[in-house]
Amino acid sequence: MQGKAIIVSAPSGAGKTTIVKHLLSTVPRLAFSVSACSRTRRKEETDGRDYYFISAEQFKEKIARDDFVEWQEVYPGSFYGTLKSEMDRIWSEGKTPIFDVDVVGGLNLKQYFGANGLAVFIQPPSIEELENRLRNRATESEETLRKRVDKAAYELNFASRFDKIVINDDLKIKCFEIATMVNGFLDM
Ligand code: ADP
Ligand code: 5GP
């Protein structure tokens, strides 16, 4: 039987990973949904915790068997997707999966889960502030930063398709607001 799901999406740098980590530590009913992917594992990553690392051939076999809730070829030759078996694993533990995905992935998941999914769009206070946050995070080169900021401007157009929009200005207040929203949805 299909259970509920929480989808948190945002342009890169808006704060979705920070907010999802907070939710996982304050709402014990949630479990992080681990995606399958076909890229090679980075040395700091653990199979089964960060991703289920499988080959492109295995990934394609799973597509053919209709094993995925959704999948995308995010980079040429690198496939990423959510396995139905991962949902069943989390639901069978009595928990609700939470997703930290980009905007298009989030909308695909919302379409799949329908009324059983709560899709939250995390909006930066402004594009300038998003750029500041990406700079302060210090994970991007000038080139990838520019790409992410440009993509963010495009992704903001999709905000109205989500169930809820939260402007991530004061982090502490917004984490509390989203946790209350998630608990309310799970109690329905
Ligand atoms: P995303 O997962 O959406 O790319 P992150 O969670 O990595 O974003 O957040 C981007 C950066 O902004 C991080 O350095 C994070 O600490 C910081 N950040 C997140 N939320 C806020 C906020 N409300 N105010 C200021 N900085 C924030
Ligand atoms: P990474 O940096 O881990 O190689 O790639 C992360 C990218 O893959 C991000 O853009 C992220 O949104 C995307 N991604 C991760 N898991 C999934 C998934 O299950 N489905 C989709 N569609 N994209 C995913």
Side-chain angles (χ1 to χ4, degrees), residues 35 39 42 51 70 72 74-75 80-82 101-102:
S35 294
R39 73 157 164 75
R42 298 172 190 147
Y51 285 107
E70 67 78 43
Q72 277 180 57
V74 177
Y75 311 108
Y80 294 76
T82 301
V101 286
D102 69 345

Side-chain angles (χ1 to χ4, degrees), residues 1-8 27 29-33 69 82-84 86-99 109-110 112-119 163 180-188:
M1 195 199 73
Q2 186 177 299
K4 292 182 177 177
I6 308 295
I7 302 148
V8 179
V27 185
R29 296 181 273 181
L30 297 177
F32 185 68
S33 169
V69 172
T82 301
L83 288 163
K84 292 176 182 169
E86 176 70 355
M87 301 297 90
D88 292 338
R89 179 185 73 78
I90 293 173
W91 287 326
S92 73
E93 289 169 3
K95 297 202 170 188
T96 298
I98 182 165
F99 299 89
L109 288 167
K110 172 62 191 174
Y112 181 83
F113 291 111
N116 282 329
L118 174 68
D163 297 316
T180 306
M181 194 187 282
V182 166
N183 278 316
F185 176 75
L186 295 181
D187 288 339
M188 271 193 316

Side-chain angles (χ1 to χ4, degrees), residues 18-31:
T18 308
I19 288 170
V20 166
K21 281 192 179 146
H22 175 84
L23 286 170
L24 283 164
S25 69
T26 54
V27 185
R29 296 181 273 181
L30 297 177

Side-chain angles (χ1 to χ4, degrees), residues 10-19 100 129 133-134 136-137 168-171:
S12 176
K16 66 182 181 305
T17 303
T18 308
I19 288 170
D100 169 353
E129 174 60 15
R133 287 182 189 173
L134 282 174
N136 291 338
R137 194 172 72 180
N168 181 20
D169 39 25
D170 185 313
L171 183 63

Side-chain angles (χ1 to χ4, degrees), residues 24-155:
L24 283 164
S25 69
T26 54
V27 185
R29 296 181 273 181
L30 297 177
F32 185 68
S33 169
V34 179
S35 294
C37 86
S38 72
R39 73 157 164 75
T40 48
R41 187 175 62 80
R42 298 172 190 147
K43 66 176 187 303
E44 69 279 9
E45 290 176 326
T46 306
D47 187 30
R49 188 193 66 189
D50 298 288
Y51 285 107
Y52 298 112
F53 293 97
I54 59 178
S55 68
E57 286 65 39
Q58 288 171 315
F59 203 104
K60 285 176 188 163
E61 281 166 25
K62 288 180 188 298
I63 295 171
R65 284 203 303 262
D66 196 25
D67 285 348
F68 287 103
V69 172
E70 67 78 43
W71 62 270
Q72 277 180 57
E73 188 172 359
V74 177
Y75 311 108
S78 291
F79 297 88
Y80 294 76
T82 301
L83 288 163
K84 292 176 182 169
S85 59
E86 176 70 355
M87 301 297 90
D88 292 338
R89 179 185 73 78
I90 293 173
W91 287 326
S92 73
E93 289 169 3
K95 297 202 170 188
T96 298
I98 182 165
F99 299 89
D100 169 353
V101 286
D102 69 345
V103 172
V104 173
L107 285 174
N108 289 339
L109 288 167
K110 172 62 191 174
Q111 196 173 12
Y112 181 83
F113 291 111
N116 282 329
L118 174 68
V120 184
F121 187 90
I122 307 297
Q123 186 162 318
S126 64
I127 290 282
E128 292 72 30
E129 174 60 15
L130 176 124
E131 185 168 340
N132 287 338
R133 287 182 189 173
L134 282 174
R135 268 187 214 290
N136 291 338
R137 194 172 72 180
T139 51
E140 308 305 316
S141 67
E142 195 54 39
E143 190 196 343
T144 63
L145 189 137
R146 188 54 38 217
K147 280 190 184 154
R148 281 171 193 248
V149 172
D150 288 347
K151 191 174 171 207
Y154 165 74
E155 289 177 323

